[in-house]
Amino acid sequence: MDPEVSLMLHCDPLQALGEHQIHVEISDRFNRQSFPEIEQHIEAVWSDRVTKEPWLFNGAKFRLHSAVLSVMEKGPVAEQAVQNLTHSQRGEGDQLESADKSSDRLAKDEQSCVLTLQLGLTCYKDYLGTNWSREAERLQSHGQNECADPQAFLAQPLGVGVVMATADGDVVLLRRSQKVAEAAGLLDIPGGHPEPKMLCPGVSEEAICADLLQGKERAVVSEIFSSVCAEISDEVNVPISSLSKPLFMGIALNHTSAGRPSAEFYVRCTLTTEEVRDFYRHGGPEAHESTEILFLSRAKMFQLNECSPLWSEMCPSAKGAVLLYQRVMPDC
């Protein structure tokens, strides 16, 4: 098992979820826990980074507290998986059900599965001072001891990533620039973060809070899904009109940043591989984040594993997306 990545939860094979199957709960109860010492550390880390990189700004992010994937059977809702960010350090074999077991379940139509995300709010500053800081392991130990939750004191911003397939069936990978802060030079998939500010026009990033998002839960889900296509458009430079509606595959955890969660999706593009390559060459709003575009066939995607030469070139977010793609098989 690759120590850089694990799967928090995943959909059953051929059961990737659409936007209407995702629900969110938003509350301050799902925010990061706090104590004076860590707040001082966060401020110190931020001050140091801004001094070195004055162009940084502290954007608001959604914080993933937990996720529950439920299955509708003939009777009441039956819980399929309740795996939140307090997950124990079990092996992948304990966390994931095999495809063979999945095939033995009752057949379910697309309405039968529901994912509920419990979201709070966090920010980039808190991420740098917790998940991405030298204190991350100590914070996890403190969280386990004080809250029975190793992630309780971490920012845990919810990211999104996407396996994008061309009309030819090839999957897009991007070589990250050497100038980016994380995973420089490694292969990645398009991705980023949904933005709370999109739902709070006229409100400063620092003033965004859970109360402002009450009653906007469907809009939050819409922002999560629309951010997937926006990231593709910004990074690969293809028109949003060429992209299908995203399908949710699961959530991967990046252990190089203390278990930071990323929701991974699948999107089809109506453009051919060569057309996508041509759009990429013309550059987009975030062209500076990558230096090269690569394409993997569907067959090679299913063959990727820790023994593959390409695996060592991939960043954790890409590895997580590959693992989910192989299990969920959204294009079969």
Side-chain angles (χ1 to χ4, degrees), residues 318-330:
K319 293 176 181 178
V322 168
L323 293 174
L324 286 165
Y325 176 80
Q326 292 172 343
R327 284 160 175 76
V328 181
M329 301 177 289

Side-chain angles (χ1 to χ4, degrees), residues 104-125:
D104 292 334
R105 296 176 184 161
L106 294 173
K108 303 183 296 293
D109 62 29
E110 67 171 354
Q111 298 292 333
S112 61
C113 291
V114 174
L115 175 72
T116 301
L117 304 175
Q118 292 183 323
L119 301 177
L121 288 170
T122 187
C123 61
Y124 186 57
K125 178 174 74 172

Side-chain angles (χ1 to χ4, degrees), residues 240-303:
I240 287 181
S241 60
S242 70
L243 304 175
S244 70
K245 293 180 179 179
L247 293 174
F248 170 87
M249 298 188 295
I251 298 174
L253 302 177
N254 181 346
H255 295 292
T256 65
S257 52
R260 179 185 52 173
S262 180
E264 306 295 349
F265 295 80
Y266 173 79
V267 166
R268 295 183 303 275
C269 182
T270 59
L271 302 174
T272 66
T273 297
E274 284 308 310
E275 287 172 331
V276 171
R277 194 193 306 274
D278 188 55
F279 272 104
Y280 175 81
R281 286 171 177 163
H282 284 83
E286 296 182 4
H288 62 283
E289 293 187 0
S290 66
T291 58
E292 180 185 10
I293 190 169
L294 293 85
F295 299 89
L296 282 186
S297 69
R298 182 175 180 276
K300 289 183 178 179
M301 281 287 286
F302 279 103
Q303 293 169 359

Side-chain angles (χ1 to χ4, degrees), residues 104-304:
D104 292 334
R105 296 176 184 161
L106 294 173
K108 303 183 296 293
D109 62 29
E110 67 171 354
Q111 298 292 333
S112 61
C113 291
V114 174
L115 175 72
T116 301
L117 304 175
Q118 292 183 323
L119 301 177
L121 288 170
T122 187
C123 61
Y124 186 57
K125 178 174 74 172
D126 285 5
Y127 168 69
L128 291 181
T130 59
N131 287 74
W132 196 240
S133 87
R134 65 179 184 276
E135 297 295 317
E137 287 189 14
R138 187 174 71 85
L139 287 173
Q140 288 178 309
S141 296
H142 188 59
Q144 182 63 48
N145 294 335
E146 296 296 321
C147 309
D149 176 1
Q151 310 303 93
F153 296 101
L154 302 185
Q156 295 296 91
L158 176 64
V160 295
V162 55
V163 173
M164 172 192 153
T166 69
D168 303 320
D170 292 331
V171 171
V172 169
L173 292 176
L174 301 174
R175 177 81 64 183
R176 289 175 63 81
S177 167
Q178 291 290 346
K179 298 179 181 180
V180 297
E182 295 182 46
L186 297 180
L187 293 176
D188 201 0
I189 55 172
H193 297 85
E195 303 290 349
K197 68 181 179 181
M198 299 300 291
L199 308 177
C200 301
V203 180
S204 68
E205 299 271 6
E206 294 77 9
I208 296 174
C209 62
D211 285 347
L212 294 177
L213 297 173
Q214 296 303 310
K216 298 182 179 181
E217 287 80 3
R218 291 315 307 169
V220 171
V221 175
S222 180
E223 166 58 19
I224 292 172
F225 273 72
S226 63
S227 71
V228 173
C229 293
E231 293 293 347
I232 295 175
S233 181
D234 288 346
E235 296 182 23
V236 187
N237 197 39
V238 296
I240 287 181
S241 60
S242 70
L243 304 175
S244 70
K245 293 180 179 179
L247 293 174
F248 170 87
M249 298 188 295
I251 298 174
L253 302 177
N254 181 346
H255 295 292
T256 65
S257 52
R260 179 185 52 173
S262 180
E264 306 295 349
F265 295 80
Y266 173 79
V267 166
R268 295 183 303 275
C269 182
T270 59
L271 302 174
T272 66
T273 297
E274 284 308 310
E275 287 172 331
V276 171
R277 194 193 306 274
D278 188 55
F279 272 104
Y280 175 81
R281 286 171 177 163
H282 284 83
E286 296 182 4
H288 62 283
E289 293 187 0
S290 66
T291 58
E292 180 185 10
I293 190 169
L294 293 85
F295 299 89
L296 282 186
S297 69
R298 182 175 180 276
K300 289 183 178 179
M301 281 287 286
F302 279 103
Q303 293 169 359
L304 278 176

